[in-house]
Every structure is written in structure tokens, then in C-alpha cells.
């Protein structure tokens, strides 16, 4: 029979994402509701290794639902990649009396959790918290919606100045391996072209498209570029390439960078975090383990780590077609 769960630990790990605080709040409040002790570990797996934690009750998480970042801090822990590091973490959990963990993070966090759980038989549930939206076991990750809104807000502002000076702006957004942010914000902000890691549109096509824009009377343009796009050039090299080949364009570059991770979470991300984390606690209390929670077709789902960690759920190619039509 599964061990009774009396104490649940929670931590945030990997890159931070808006909505992580709403997620921590939901874990702490759900634990209070079900009369389970809640322990918050600082700096992800590193806090488990070092025994750096606080006991959390319903009041410890007041007024954090609207805050960006994570009150538990986040980190990437090299020590947890080693068997010795994971042993230290397991020893601390045993010492403190933690029976199960809720892990809020991205695919790396889930991979570490899966290995840890198999080694030490400690039930874990993964909650997808990452702005990248690159996890197969859910349609949406916590933080993605807020990041999209931050990006389109920034692009709208850049468009104002682009249009005043008749300039072409290349705007780099986050997404080394996945183009979800670039594609969706690009369509949402009305970009002329969107360059993503999943599709190689080619430099010739980019030049053709920009020439067409000029011919059609457009004086300014926005091209959204994902960090990991397939042109083989970084955003500054791309800008130089276009300047060399299309000297009529006055080209500028903006790299949005870490601002995409910050800010107060959107209502969507707060609600998503709340739904997923209540479910995570309930699954642990029902004796479930080693799954990730997610939203699939607007229903909460529990997916094994093995399936949830497959590639990702794929970009919506229809959006590329829509973008093509609308940038006419
Ligand atoms: P993001 O998508 O925002 O980058 P992430 O959770 O994927 O978030 P990672 O840095 O990949 O971020 O992983 C977070 C932490 O999980 C790592 O710093 C490491 O401590 C742990 N981890 C990742 N992969 C493994 C692994 N194979 N074995 C043990 N621990 C791992």
C-alpha cells in the first residue's frame, strides 16, 4: 500500500516564469485545505540538496498571486545531476519528513524528478512552469501566456518608432529550440515575417518577402526572430545581410531578452497555475506519482513523464499560413 502522505514539498526550478508564485500559492493552500504540511524548498533542487527550506501555511503565500518571479527562487543545479547530489537531497527529505514533492519547472526539472523518484521511491508530480511552452504533455505551460503578452506589448511599441522613421526592425524573442513565442507573438503583433527553429524559410524567401513589402507600399516592417531560428545567422548577422542586399531598408535590431520572463502573470497563467497545482496535490493524496499535470483540450490531464517529455506538442503550422496571408 502507498505510504500515507502527510508532508508535501514544493520547489521551482529551471528558468523562472510568471505564474510560478500563483503555483506555489495553490500548492500551499491545497495542502492547508487537505490538512497536509507543506515545505517550500529554495532554489530548486539545490535547496533540497542543502536543506534550505521554510514551512509554508496558507498565510505564507498571501498576496503573491499577482507577483512575477518566484518567492522560492529558482536555479539550475549541477549537483543534482550527480548521484551524490541526489542522495543528499533524498537524505534531507527523509530527515525533514517530506513524503512527496511537487516540482514546478520545465522538461529538465521533470527529467531530474523522474530519475530521483525512481532512485529513492519518492512520489513526485511535475507542474509545467516555463515560458517556452515546449512540453508535450500539456497545451499550455505556466508563464507562456504572460510572456506572449509582454512580447506583443514590446513589439507594438517598437512598431510606433519603426513607422515614424520608416525602419525595418528585427526583433529577437526567446526560444532556442521552440518557436511558440515567436510564431504566436508574430501573428498577434502583425509581423511581416516570423523566423522559427521548426521551419527553415530560407534567406532568399526573406529578401523576396521584404522586397514585396516595399513594392506594396509598406514603409516600415517588423520581423520576429526566435533565438534558435534556422537561417544560420544570429539576429545581428541577419540585419547586416539584409542591409547589404536591400540597401533601401534602414534596419535596426532589438533583442527583448530577459524582460520576457518578468512581470505580473496574466489571468490565464494565474488560473492555469491554480488548476494544475490543486490537481498535483490531489493526485499525490490519491497515491499517484511520477506524472506531470497539464491541460489538454481544456481538461486537466495527468501524463507519464515518459510521454510528457517527448519532443513537444509541435507548432501550429496553420499560423504560418495565416501570417503569410496577413502580411500581404
Ligand atoms: P526551462 O525550460 O525553463 O529551461 P528546465 O526545467 O528545463 O526549465 P533545466 O535547467 O533543463 O531547466 O533543468 C532544471 C534542473 O533539473 C537542472 O538544473 C538539474 O538540476 C535538473 N536536471 C535536469 N536534467 C537532469 C538529469 N538528466 N538528471 C538529474 N537532474 C537533472
Amino acid at each position: 500500500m502507498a505510504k500515507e502522505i502527510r508532508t508535501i514539498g514544493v520547489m521551482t526550478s529551471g528558468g523562472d516564469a510568471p505564474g510560478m508564485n500563483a503555483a506555489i500559492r495553490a500548492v500551499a493552500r491545497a495542502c492547508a485545505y487537505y490538512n497536509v504540511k507543506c515545505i517550500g524548498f529554495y532554489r530548486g533542487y539545490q535547496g533540497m540538496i542543502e536543506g534550505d527550506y521554510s514551512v509554508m501555511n496558507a498565510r505564507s503565500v498571501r498576496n503573491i498571486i499577482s507577483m512575477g518571479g518566484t518567492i522560492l527562487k529558482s536555479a539550475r543545479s549541477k549537483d543534482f545531476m550527480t548521484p551524490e547530489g541526489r542522495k543528499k537531497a533524498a537524505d534531507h527529505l527523509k530527515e525533514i519528513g517530506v513524503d512527496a514533492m511537487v516540482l514546478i519547472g520545465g522538461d529538465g526539472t521533470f527529467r531530474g524528478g523522474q530519475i530521483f523518484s525512481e532512485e529513492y521511491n519518492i512520489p513526485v508530480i511535475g507542474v509545467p512552469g516555463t515560458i517556452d511552452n515546449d512540453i508535450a504533455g500539456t497545451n499550455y505551460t505556466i508563464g507562456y501566456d504572460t510572456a506572449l503578452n509582454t512580447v506583443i506589448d514590446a513589439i507594438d511599441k517598437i512598431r510606433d518608432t519603426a513607422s515614424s522613421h520608416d525602419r525595418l526592425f528585427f526583433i529577437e524573442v526567446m526560444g532556442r529550440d521552440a518557436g511558440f513565442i515567436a510564431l504566436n507573438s508574430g501573428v498577434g503583433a502583425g509581423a511581416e515575417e516570423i523566423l522559427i527553429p521548426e521551419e527553415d524559410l530560407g534567406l532568399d524567401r526573406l529578401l523576396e518577402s521584404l522586397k514585396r513589402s516595399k513594392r506594396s507600399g509598406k514603409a516600415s516592417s517588423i520581423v520576429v526572430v526566435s533565438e534558435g531560428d534556422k537561417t544560420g545567422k544570429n539576429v545581428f548577422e541577419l540585419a547586416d545581410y539584409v542591409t547589404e542586399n536591400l540597401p533601401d531598408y534602414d534596419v535596426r535590431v532589438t533583442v527583448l531578452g530577459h524582460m520576457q520572463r518578468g512581470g505580473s502573470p496574466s489571468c490565464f497563467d494565474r488560473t492555469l497555475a491554480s488548476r494544475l497545482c490543486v490537481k498535483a496535490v490531489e493526485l499525490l493524496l490519491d497515491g499517484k506519482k511520477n506524472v506531470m499535470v497539464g491541460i489538454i483540450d481544456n481538461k486537466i490531464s495527468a501524463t507519464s513523464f515518459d510521454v510528457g517529455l517527448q519532443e513537444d506538442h509541435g507548432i501550429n503550422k496553420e499560423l504560418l499560413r495565416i501570417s503569410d496571408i496577413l502580411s500581404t
Side-chain angles (χ1 to χ4, degrees):
M1 216 182 80
K3 192 180 160 204
E4 193 189 348
I5 306 286
R6 294 214 183 98
T7 302
I8 292 177
V10 58
M11 56 81 146
T12 48
S13 163
D16 67 324
M20 280 185 161
N21 279 324
I24 296 165
R25 169 183 180 270
V27 173
R29 293 261 162 106
C31 284
Y33 180 84
Y34 288 112
N35 221 4
V36 174
K37 190 170 167 187
C38 181
I39 305 268
F41 287 92
Y42 293 99
R43 292 172 293 121
Y45 289 122
Q46 201 56 31
M48 287 163 60
I49 291 171
E50 295 171 15
D52 186 12
Y53 66 89
S54 285
V55 176
M56 303 182 88
N57 59 35
R59 299 284 75 75
S60 331
V61 289
R62 73 178 142 225
N63 293 341
I64 67 166
I65 193 166
S66 59
M67 286 165 52
T70 154
I71 60 163
L72 290 177
K73 315 262 182 196
S74 190
R76 303 193 197 270
S77 168
K78 284 210 178 86
D79 295 341
F80 199 77
M81 309 285 274
T82 66
E84 299 75 33
R86 293 195 293 276
K87 166 138 189 359
K88 278 191 197 155
D91 288 347
H92 274 129
L93 294 196
K94 202 166 166 200
E95 199 180 296
I96 305 161
V98 174
D99 303 309
M101 287 293 305
V102 175
L103 311 170
I104 304 164
D107 54 347
T109 300
F110 294 174
R111 252 178 219 111
Q114 185 178 27
I115 293 168
F116 183 65
S117 177
E118 279 161 10
E119 283 174 346
Y120 293 100
N121 195 25
I122 294 172
V124 305
I125 303 279
V127 176
T130 165
I131 63 166
D132 295 331
N133 205 36
D134 58 347
I135 298 182
T138 186
N139 296 149
Y140 300 106
T141 57
I142 298 165
Y144 171 60
D145 182 67
T146 307
L148 283 182
N149 284 304
T150 301
V151 170
I152 60 161
D153 189 41
I155 298 179
D156 288 348
K157 288 179 173 135
I158 292 166
R159 188 182 282 285
D160 288 344
T161 174
S163 116
S164 302
H165 288 274
D166 291 345
R167 282 178 176 150
L168 162 64
F169 267 85
F170 281 86
I171 303 178
E172 187 194 88
V173 301
M174 281 188 171
R176 256 188 208 99
D177 306 304
F180 294 101
I181 293 181
L183 183 54
N184 285 272
S185 68
V187 171
E192 271 60 53
E193 278 294 331
I194 303 169
L195 306 179
I196 54 176
E198 292 86 348
E199 292 278 314
D200 185 0
L201 298 180
L203 291 167
D204 291 344
R205 191 201 122 118
L206 175 65
L207 294 182
E208 261 324 301
S209 161
L210 291 172
K211 278 186 209 158
R212 217 176 32 243
S213 286
K214 259 279 190 259
R215 279 200 303 271
S216 75
K218 279 191 196 176
S220 67
S221 291
I222 300 285
V223 176
V224 176
V225 186
S226 205
E227 278 170 303
D229 86 280
K230 285 278 189 303
T231 54
K233 295 187 185 295
N234 69 35
V235 70
F236 294 99
E237 292 164 346
L238 263 178
D240 289 345
Y241 178 81
V242 169
T243 304
E244 276 160 30
N245 287 280
L246 302 175
D248 283 354
Y249 270 109
D250 183 10
V251 185
R252 294 289 187 278
V253 173
T254 299
V255 176
L256 295 186
H258 284 82
M259 70 175 290
Q260 293 163 86
R261 293 192 177 283
S264 178
S266 65
C267 181
F268 182 90
D269 278 330
R270 297 180 200 191
T271 311
L272 178 66
S274 303
R275 290 174 76 187
L276 295 183
C277 287
V278 168
K279 186 66 177 179
V281 169
E282 289 176 342
L283 285 172
L284 286 172
L285 296 179
D286 278 350
K288 303 285 189 307
K289 57 183 181 178
N290 309 353
V291 293
M292 61 161 285
V293 285
I295 293 275
I296 295 176
D297 297 334
N298 203 25
K299 289 202 183 67
I300 300 198
S301 58
T303 307
S304 76
F305 282 134
D306 285 333
V307 174
L309 287 172
Q310 281 166 14
E311 290 278 285
D312 58 42
H313 45 79
I315 54 150
N316 180 353
K317 295 214 169 155
E318 173 68 358
L319 279 181
L320 282 173
R321 197 178 72 84
I322 301 281
S323 167
D324 256 4
I325 293 172
L326 298 182
S327 61
T328 304

Short mmCIF file of all heavy atoms in Angstrom, two decimals, residues 148 151-153 155-156 159 181-191 194 224 319 322-323 326:
data_model
loop_
_atom_site.label_atom_id
_atom_site.label_comp_id
_atom_site.label_asym_id
_atom_site.label_seq_id
_atom_site.Cartn_x
_atom_site.Cartn_y
_atom_site.Cartn_z
N LEU A 148 3.93 35.95 -23.90
CA LEU A 148 3.40 36.40 -25.20
C LEU A 148 2.88 37.83 -25.13
O LEU A 148 3.12 38.65 -26.01
CB LEU A 148 2.23 35.50 -25.63
CG LEU A 148 2.56 34.14 -26.20
CD1 LEU A 148 1.27 33.43 -26.61
CD2 LEU A 148 3.48 34.26 -27.40
N VAL A 151 5.68 40.25 -24.97
CA VAL A 151 6.33 40.41 -26.28
C VAL A 151 5.48 41.29 -27.20
O VAL A 151 6.00 42.22 -27.84
CB VAL A 151 6.61 39.03 -26.93
CG1 VAL A 151 7.04 39.18 -28.38
CG2 VAL A 151 7.66 38.28 -26.13
N ILE A 152 4.17 41.05 -27.25
CA ILE A 152 3.40 41.88 -28.20
C ILE A 152 3.31 43.33 -27.73
O ILE A 152 3.30 44.24 -28.54
CB ILE A 152 2.01 41.32 -28.59
CG1 ILE A 152 1.11 41.17 -27.40
CG2 ILE A 152 2.08 40.06 -29.38
CD1 ILE A 152 -0.35 41.08 -27.86
N ASP A 153 3.34 43.52 -26.42
CA ASP A 153 3.35 44.89 -25.91
C ASP A 153 4.63 45.60 -26.38
O ASP A 153 4.60 46.74 -26.85
CB ASP A 153 3.30 44.81 -24.37
CG ASP A 153 3.08 46.16 -23.75
OD1 ASP A 153 2.27 46.92 -24.30
OD2 ASP A 153 3.73 46.46 -22.73
N ILE A 155 6.54 44.73 -28.99
CA ILE A 155 6.55 44.90 -30.46
C ILE A 155 5.65 46.07 -30.87
O ILE A 155 6.01 46.86 -31.76
CB ILE A 155 6.11 43.60 -31.18
CG1 ILE A 155 7.09 42.46 -30.87
CG2 ILE A 155 6.03 43.82 -32.69
CD1 ILE A 155 6.73 41.13 -31.50
N ASP A 156 4.50 46.21 -30.20
CA ASP A 156 3.62 47.35 -30.52
C ASP A 156 4.37 48.66 -30.35
O ASP A 156 4.24 49.58 -31.16
CB ASP A 156 2.39 47.36 -29.60
CG ASP A 156 1.39 46.24 -29.93
OD1 ASP A 156 1.55 45.61 -30.99
OD2 ASP A 156 0.48 46.00 -29.11
N ARG A 159 6.90 49.11 -33.06
CA ARG A 159 6.24 49.45 -34.33
C ARG A 159 5.99 50.96 -34.42
O ARG A 159 6.10 51.56 -35.49
CB ARG A 159 4.93 48.67 -34.48
CG ARG A 159 4.30 48.83 -35.85
CD ARG A 159 3.00 48.11 -35.95
NE ARG A 159 3.16 46.67 -36.13
CZ ARG A 159 3.53 46.08 -37.26
NH1 ARG A 159 3.85 46.80 -38.31
NH2 ARG A 159 3.59 44.77 -37.34
N ILE A 181 6.82 31.11 -28.98
CA ILE A 181 6.71 32.54 -28.63
C ILE A 181 6.78 33.38 -29.91
O ILE A 181 5.95 34.26 -30.13
CB ILE A 181 7.82 32.95 -27.63
CG1 ILE A 181 7.59 32.26 -26.28
CG2 ILE A 181 7.84 34.47 -27.46
CD1 ILE A 181 8.62 32.62 -25.22
N ALA A 182 7.76 33.08 -30.77
CA ALA A 182 7.92 33.87 -31.99
C ALA A 182 6.69 33.78 -32.88
O ALA A 182 6.17 34.79 -33.36
CB ALA A 182 9.16 33.40 -32.75
N LEU A 183 6.20 32.57 -33.09
CA LEU A 183 5.10 32.37 -34.02
C LEU A 183 3.82 33.06 -33.53
O LEU A 183 3.16 33.80 -34.27
CB LEU A 183 4.87 30.87 -34.23
CG LEU A 183 3.81 30.47 -35.24
CD1 LEU A 183 4.05 31.12 -36.59
CD2 LEU A 183 3.77 28.95 -35.40
N ASN A 184 3.48 32.82 -32.28
CA ASN A 184 2.22 33.37 -31.77
C ASN A 184 2.30 34.88 -31.57
O ASN A 184 1.35 35.60 -31.87
CB ASN A 184 1.81 32.65 -30.49
CG ASN A 184 1.26 31.28 -30.81
OD1 ASN A 184 0.08 31.10 -31.07
ND2 ASN A 184 2.14 30.29 -30.88
N SER A 185 3.43 35.37 -31.06
CA SER A 185 3.53 36.83 -30.87
C SER A 185 3.64 37.49 -32.24
O SER A 185 3.12 38.59 -32.45
CB SER A 185 4.72 37.19 -29.99
OG SER A 185 5.93 36.90 -30.65
N GLY A 186 4.30 36.83 -33.17
CA GLY A 186 4.45 37.40 -34.52
C GLY A 186 3.09 37.60 -35.18
O GLY A 186 2.82 38.65 -35.77
N VAL A 187 2.24 36.59 -35.06
CA VAL A 187 0.89 36.72 -35.65
C VAL A 187 0.11 37.78 -34.86
O VAL A 187 -0.55 38.66 -35.43
CB VAL A 187 0.15 35.36 -35.65
CG1 VAL A 187 -1.31 35.54 -36.05
CG2 VAL A 187 0.84 34.39 -36.61
N GLY A 188 0.24 37.72 -33.52
CA GLY A 188 -0.52 38.65 -32.67
C GLY A 188 -0.11 40.10 -32.87
O GLY A 188 -0.93 41.00 -32.68
N ALA A 189 1.15 40.32 -33.22
CA ALA A 189 1.62 41.70 -33.38
C ALA A 189 1.69 42.10 -34.86
O ALA A 189 2.14 43.19 -35.19
CB ALA A 189 3.00 41.86 -32.73
N GLY A 190 1.26 41.20 -35.74
CA GLY A 190 1.20 41.55 -37.17
C GLY A 190 2.56 41.69 -37.83
O GLY A 190 2.78 42.59 -38.64
N ALA A 191 3.49 40.76 -37.51
CA ALA A 191 4.83 40.82 -38.10
C ALA A 191 4.79 40.47 -39.58
O ALA A 191 3.93 39.70 -40.02
CB ALA A 191 5.76 39.86 -37.37
N ILE A 194 8.23 35.75 -39.77
CA ILE A 194 8.48 35.12 -38.48
C ILE A 194 9.49 34.00 -38.72
O ILE A 194 9.23 33.10 -39.54
CB ILE A 194 7.17 34.54 -37.89
CG1 ILE A 194 6.11 35.64 -37.77
CG2 ILE A 194 7.43 33.87 -36.54
CD1 ILE A 194 4.72 35.13 -37.47
N VAL A 224 9.99 39.03 -36.69
CA VAL A 224 10.21 38.42 -35.38
C VAL A 224 11.10 37.19 -35.57
O VAL A 224 10.82 36.34 -36.41
CB VAL A 224 8.88 38.02 -34.72
CG1 VAL A 224 9.12 37.30 -33.40
CG2 VAL A 224 8.01 39.25 -34.47
N LEU A 319 -0.67 28.62 -38.35
CA LEU A 319 -0.35 30.02 -38.06
C LEU A 319 0.65 30.61 -39.05
O LEU A 319 0.62 31.81 -39.33
CB LEU A 319 0.21 30.16 -36.63
CG LEU A 319 -0.83 30.18 -35.50
CD1 LEU A 319 -0.12 30.34 -34.16
CD2 LEU A 319 -1.83 31.31 -35.71
N ILE A 322 -1.41 31.62 -41.94
CA ILE A 322 -2.18 32.83 -41.60
C ILE A 322 -1.27 34.05 -41.69
O ILE A 322 -1.65 35.10 -42.22
CB ILE A 322 -2.71 32.72 -40.14
CG1 ILE A 322 -3.60 31.49 -39.97
CG2 ILE A 322 -3.40 34.00 -39.68
CD1 ILE A 322 -4.97 31.63 -40.48
N SER A 323 -0.05 33.89 -41.15
CA SER A 323 0.89 35.01 -41.14
C SER A 323 1.21 35.44 -42.58
O SER A 323 1.28 36.63 -42.89
CB SER A 323 2.16 34.59 -40.40
OG SER A 323 3.17 35.51 -40.64
N LEU A 326 -1.73 37.36 -44.03
CA LEU A 326 -1.99 38.66 -43.42
C LEU A 326 -0.87 39.67 -43.62
O LEU A 326 -1.06 40.86 -43.38
CB LEU A 326 -2.31 38.49 -41.93
CG LEU A 326 -3.56 37.65 -41.65
CD1 LEU A 326 -3.83 37.57 -40.16
CD2 LEU A 326 -4.78 38.25 -42.36
#
